[in-house]
């Protein structure tokens, strides 16, 4: 008997035991479906609703049949990911568990007992075990789905055919979009403050290398990057990370800690956690030098003078950005901001991040904003001025003007077709059993194999 058949037999045996109350569970938990090696219990459907509500998703129009269908898709992806030996380490999942618990605990005021009550667990380890299993299935499913669509591309001809197939009166409307440029001036820390940070990072490095202390614990205690302190960051050379950060990371061996170095965010040390071919996983500690009030005032005066020169038409915003902006990522493009959602220069007015919207929403075209003091998630301060360089009013989709958006829509349609084909093929060749009242469901996929 092969491995899949063995797992299927064991799954069905356990399903029968659960249904007839022959396990030690406190409450009989009925089986809703079996997909390959995975059981889906009634309680899994309930937990899926809770998880969506936790993410502020409105679930009132999602039926239990629809929710079960989604869970079955995830289990099918995860099952096939195991069959295809898609790489996923327990360490990666444990990191996700730690991050989820840290986030949820913070949301509940730091009280781990409230989190245990939320998950209806008697102890933290039981909660961690449940989260581990949940996140492992979800991650396997994500990676399998990525594998299905990774080679899907659209040609310009396919984009044109997609657009032409949409009736003229049904073509999408796009809201008002803005192209925005900025100039950034960073205050300069005095040499003594920089040296103090370097010395502190060297002391931490020494504690880990010579005293055997935990780098992850040191990161939690001292890193000013609160979003990633102590966590593992995984990336490759093409990932959207700071250039200096990537360059240092790719010089390290597993377990090695870098010397202190400067990136656009501040001063770091990095510990190499794992190397997987072209991909690396690291932890880092970020510390920024103290900026005295005099340095902040100097930065404010500098950007005010730049603004005056633009307003007085001594130079254009583009020229000022290229010559004086301290932000390397936008400087060479005249300060032009890039939308992280689609990597274009356009920002839909109604979807602009609230703090940026508040600064630019009242600007007239080519008007220069007043200087704003900005502080990022690490506490780094800078002064910024903005200009709207182009405004595209609300309009019906135009093939030339909106090519990037239309291309994205065409690609998504082709990816959906690839996923639909994959699901149809793998539903046919995978053991699937839908139980009890759920056999009456009308699924979008052929889970009942009619």
């Amino acid at each position: 008997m092969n491995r899949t058949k063995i797992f299927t037999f064991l799954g069905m045996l356990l399903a029968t035991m659960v249904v007839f109350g022959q396990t030690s569970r406190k409450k009989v938990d009925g089986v809703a479906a079996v997909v390959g090696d995975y059981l889906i219990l009634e309680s899994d459907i309930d937990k899926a609703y809770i998880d969506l509500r936790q993410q502020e998703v409105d679930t009132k129009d999602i039926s239990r049949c629809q929710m079960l269908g989604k869970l079955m898709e995830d289990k099918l992806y995860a099952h096939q990911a195991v069959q295809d030996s898609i790489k996923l380490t327990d360490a990666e999942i444990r990191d996700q568990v730690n991050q989820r618990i840290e986030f949820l605990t913070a949301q509940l005021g730091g009280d781990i007992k409230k989190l245990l009550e939320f998950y209806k667990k008697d102890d933290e380890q039981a909660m961690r075990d449940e989260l581990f299993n949940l996140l492992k299935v979800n991650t396997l499913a994500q990676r399998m789905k990525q594998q299905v669509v990774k080679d899907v591309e659209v040609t310009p001809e396919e984009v044109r055919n997609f657009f032409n197939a949409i009736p003229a009166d049904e073509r999408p409307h796009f809201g008002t979009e803005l192209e925005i440029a900025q100039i950034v001036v960073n205050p300069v820390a005095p040499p003594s403050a920089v040296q103090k940070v370097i010395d502190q990072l060297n002391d931490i490095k020494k504690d880990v290398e010579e005293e055997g202390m935990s780098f992850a614990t040191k990161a939690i205690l001292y890193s000013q990057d609160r979003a990633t302190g102590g966590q593992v960051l995984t990336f490759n050379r093409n990932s959207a990370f700071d250039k200096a950060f990537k360059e240092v990371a790719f010089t390290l061996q597993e377990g090695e800690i870098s010397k202190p170095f400067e990136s656009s965010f501040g001063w770091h040390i990095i510990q190499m956690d794992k190397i997987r071919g072209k991909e690396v996983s690291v932890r880092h500690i970020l510390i920024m030098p103290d900026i005295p009030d005099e340095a902040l005032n100097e930065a404010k005066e500098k950007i005010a003078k730049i603004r005056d020169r633009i307003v007085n038409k001594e130079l254009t915003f583009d020229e000022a950005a290229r010559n004086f902006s301290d932000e390397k990522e936008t400087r060479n493009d005249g300060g032009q901001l890039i939308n992280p959602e689609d990597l274009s220069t356009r920002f839909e007015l109604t979807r602009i991040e609230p703090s940026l919207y508040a600064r630019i929403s009242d600007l007239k075209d080519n008007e220069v904003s007043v200087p704003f003091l900005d502080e990022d998630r690490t506490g780094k301060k800078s002064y910024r001025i903005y200009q709207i360089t182009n405004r595209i009013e609300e309009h019906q989709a135009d093939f030339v003007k909106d090519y990037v958006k239309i291309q994205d829509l065409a690609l998504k349609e082709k990816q959906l077709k690839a996923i639909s084909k994959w699901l149809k093929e793998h539903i046919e060749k995978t053991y699937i059993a839908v139980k009890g009242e759920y056999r009456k469901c009308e699924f979008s996929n052929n889970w009942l194999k009619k």
Side-chain angles (χ1 to χ4, degrees):
M1 186 179 290
N2 64 32
R3 179 177 176 276
T4 299
K5 289 181 178 178
I6 291 171
F7 269 89
T8 298
F9 172 76
L10 291 174
M12 291 303 295
L13 177 62
L14 179 57
T16 303
M17 292 170 67
V18 171
V19 169
F20 288 95
Q22 295 176 5
T23 69
S24 60
R25 299 177 71 90
K26 295 179 181 178
K27 178 182 176 182
V28 173
D29 194 356
V31 174
V34 181
V35 178
D37 300 342
Y38 294 98
L39 291 178
I40 302 173
L41 304 176
E42 290 273 2
S43 60
D44 293 329
I45 301 175
D46 297 330
K47 289 171 186 174
Y49 277 108
I50 293 171
D51 190 50
L52 287 179
R53 290 181 192 126
Q54 193 179 52
Q55 299 173 49
E56 299 184 352
V57 175
D58 187 356
T59 60
K60 68 177 185 294
D61 293 327
I62 301 176
S63 69
R64 290 186 72 82
C65 289
Q66 289 172 322
M67 189 67 80
L68 176 59
K70 175 63 170 64
L71 291 175
M72 291 177 76
E73 279 190 30
D74 290 342
K75 296 296 192 290
L76 181 61
Y77 285 125
H79 171 79
Q80 193 59 42
V82 173
Q83 307 305 308
D84 292 353
S85 300
I86 288 180
K87 291 183 180 179
L88 179 63
T89 65
D90 286 353
E92 290 178 79
I93 303 303
R94 283 194 291 271
D95 285 333
Q96 289 187 42
V97 171
N98 290 338
Q99 292 171 28
R100 176 72 69 90
I101 289 176
E102 287 173 12
F103 172 76
L104 293 175
T105 304
Q107 295 292 100
L108 295 170
D111 190 343
I112 190 70
K113 290 182 180 178
K114 289 182 180 178
L115 192 58
L116 291 174
E117 290 173 7
F118 178 82
Y119 277 99
K120 298 180 181 179
K121 297 297 178 184
D122 296 328
D123 58 77
E124 184 176 340
Q125 190 56 51
M127 177 180 65
R128 285 181 174 275
D129 290 343
E130 179 167 308
L131 279 173
F132 183 93
N133 292 330
L134 173 66
L135 293 173
K136 185 172 184 177
V137 169
N138 289 347
T139 305
L140 282 170
Q142 289 169 8
R143 293 193 179 178
M144 188 68 245
K145 198 169 184 178
Q146 290 168 359
Q147 188 74 13
V148 173
V149 301
K150 73 180 180 67
D151 295 325
V152 177
E153 297 177 344
V154 286
T155 65
E157 185 61 26
E158 286 176 315
V159 177
R160 181 177 295 279
N161 290 338
F162 168 81
F163 181 75
N164 290 337
I166 305 173
D169 59 345
E170 295 180 15
R171 287 172 184 167
H173 278 75
F174 297 124
T176 299
E177 295 175 307
L178 304 177
E179 292 185 328
I180 307 163
Q182 69 176 6
I183 295 172
V184 181
V185 173
N186 297 323
V188 179
S192 59
V194 173
Q195 189 58 51
K196 183 179 177 180
V197 167
I198 294 172
D199 292 342
Q200 184 180 1
L201 289 169
N202 277 323
D203 287 343
I204 293 171
K205 175 178 163 72
K206 182 179 178 181
D207 285 344
V208 176
E209 292 178 335
E210 299 181 15
E211 306 297 330
M213 295 185 179
S214 165
F215 189 96
T217 300
K218 290 284 188 180
I220 292 170
L221 291 173
Y222 299 109
S223 181
Q224 289 176 261
D225 188 352
R226 296 303 178 192
T228 62
Q231 298 176 13
V232 173
L233 305 175
T234 300
F235 55 92
N236 57 46
R237 291 185 184 274
N238 295 322
S239 299
F241 276 63
D242 179 272
K243 183 180 178 182
F245 191 94
K246 286 193 292 186
E247 286 178 351
V248 172
F250 280 96
T251 66
L252 302 175
Q253 300 299 313
E254 287 189 8
E256 186 179 0
I257 301 174
S258 72
K259 295 178 181 178
F261 68 95
E262 187 178 17
S263 78
S264 59
F265 297 97
W267 284 82
H268 307 254
I269 52 174
I270 294 175
Q271 183 184 54
M272 178 59 69
D273 182 71
K274 187 74 68 177
I275 300 173
R276 303 181 193 83
K278 296 181 180 180
E279 192 174 75
V280 298
S281 296
V282 306
R283 286 184 170 89
H284 82 116
I285 295 172
L286 167 70
I287 301 178
M288 291 172 296
D290 291 331
I291 303 294
D293 289 341
E294 308 91 80
L296 276 172
N297 290 333
E298 287 175 8
K300 185 176 182 180
E301 290 176 9
K302 179 179 178 181
I303 202 165
K305 289 179 180 177
I306 294 170
R307 180 181 184 278
D308 288 343
R309 293 185 66 185
I310 298 169
V311 171
N312 294 330
K313 301 190 184 304
E314 292 180 34
L315 71 174
T316 65
F317 197 98
D318 180 281
E319 292 169 338
R322 293 176 187 276
N323 287 285
F324 302 116
S325 182
D326 289 330
E327 187 173 71
K328 296 177 182 178
E329 292 81 4
T330 59
R331 183 171 59 203
N332 292 334
D333 292 321
Q336 199 74 56
L337 293 178
I338 300 299
N339 188 336
E341 291 186 4
D342 60 9
L343 301 181
S344 74
T345 57
R346 295 184 181 185
F347 293 79
E348 190 172 334
L349 186 60
T350 57
R351 298 178 64 183
I352 294 176
E353 192 268 327
S355 61
L356 177 58
Y357 179 86
R359 295 176 179 185
I360 58 89
S361 59
D362 293 332
L363 283 180
K364 298 179 176 64
D365 293 352
N366 297 315
E367 180 183 1
V368 183
S369 76
V370 298
F372 291 97
L373 178 61
D374 188 61
E375 184 171 338
D376 67 15
R377 70 168 190 257
T378 67
K380 180 180 178 181
K381 295 179 179 178
S382 60
Y383 277 96
R384 299 169 190 258
I385 55 176
Y386 301 90
Q387 184 182 68
I388 294 174
T389 57
N390 191 20
R391 185 185 303 268
I392 302 95
E393 299 295 347
E394 181 179 354
H395 63 283
Q396 190 176 41
D398 177 274
F399 183 75
V400 175
K401 292 180 180 177
D402 302 303
Y403 182 82
V404 173
K405 290 182 182 294
I406 295 164
Q407 181 186 45
D408 184 55
L409 291 173
L411 176 61
K412 286 177 179 175
E413 182 185 66
K414 193 172 181 180
Q415 288 174 335
L416 285 172
K417 288 180 179 177
I419 288 169
S420 180
K421 180 182 177 184
W422 187 94
L423 284 169
K424 183 177 180 180
E425 291 173 355
H426 287 78
I427 286 172
E428 285 300 317
K429 66 182 184 181
T430 304
Y431 176 81
I432 295 168
V434 180
K435 312 297 288 183
E437 65 184 44
Y438 296 102
R439 292 193 60 80
K440 299 176 183 177
C441 289
E442 294 184 6
F443 296 110
S444 57
N445 292 307
N446 188 27
W447 297 114
L448 298 172
K449 298 188 178 183
K450 292 180 179 179

